[in-house]
Amino acid sequence: MRRLMRSMVMGLAATFVATAALAQTDPEDFRIETGQDLVELCSVQAGDELYVPAIHMCHGYVSGVAQYALALFVQGSGSFFCLPDPVPSRNDAIAAFLAFAQSNPDVRTDVGPTALAKFLEAEYPCQ
């Protein structure tokens, strides 16, 4: 019985260590204090133990900031960005943000909304 219990405990410990080694997302990323935090959440991989909450937070945050900015300005009337028609999917917009952050690493040190605003302005300029 002791051997069985010891084996179970060792197995659980090994599983915990293996799972912890796979984790790439830090719970602190959910605070989205910087563009880097947003990049971390939006680029989370399916094997990450925080994948579901991280990707949901990413989608919600990106949608919320974009909708708030659109609400502040009538599109094309002083707005710093204008969405094209058809509007890109959320997944496409997030992929474009990650590519933008890759080629513009300075946005990673900006506060979260500023990093996203710089992307929106660069990616979807008003004509």
Side-chain angles (χ1 to χ4, degrees):
M1 185 63 148
R2 282 187 177 176
R3 282 187 186 172
L4 178 61
M5 286 298 276
R6 189 177 323 155
S7 294
M8 288 174 56
V9 168
M10 294 299 281
L12 286 173
T15 301
F16 176 75
V17 169
T19 302
L22 286 176
Q24 299 150 349
T25 304
D26 186 328
E28 290 295 311
D29 294 336
F30 287 82
R31 297 177 72 170
I32 309 181
E33 293 177 345
T34 66
Q36 179 62 34
D37 294 336
L38 187 56
V39 166
E40 294 292 329
L41 290 177
C42 293
S43 61
V44 65
Q45 298 298 307
D48 191 308
E49 67 184 35
L50 296 175
Y51 174 78
V52 171
I55 206 67
H56 287 196
M57 180 71 170
C58 164
H59 283 234
Y61 189 88
V62 168
S63 295
V65 169
Q67 288 178 9
Y68 181 73
L70 286 172
L72 286 178
F73 305 99
V74 174
Q75 196 162 245
S77 175
S79 181
F80 64 93
F81 75 102
C82 294
L83 292 174
D85 186 19
V87 174
S89 73
R90 196 174 324 140
N91 286 338
D92 289 344
I94 289 169
F97 167 72
L98 292 173
F100 178 80
Q102 180 71 27
S103 54
N104 297 279
D106 58 302
V107 301
R108 292 172 181 244
T109 58
D110 290 329
V111 293
T114 301
L116 196 52
K118 285 181 179 179
F119 157 72
L120 291 169
E121 185 174 30
E123 187 73 16
Y124 309 113
C126 295
Q127 301 302 328

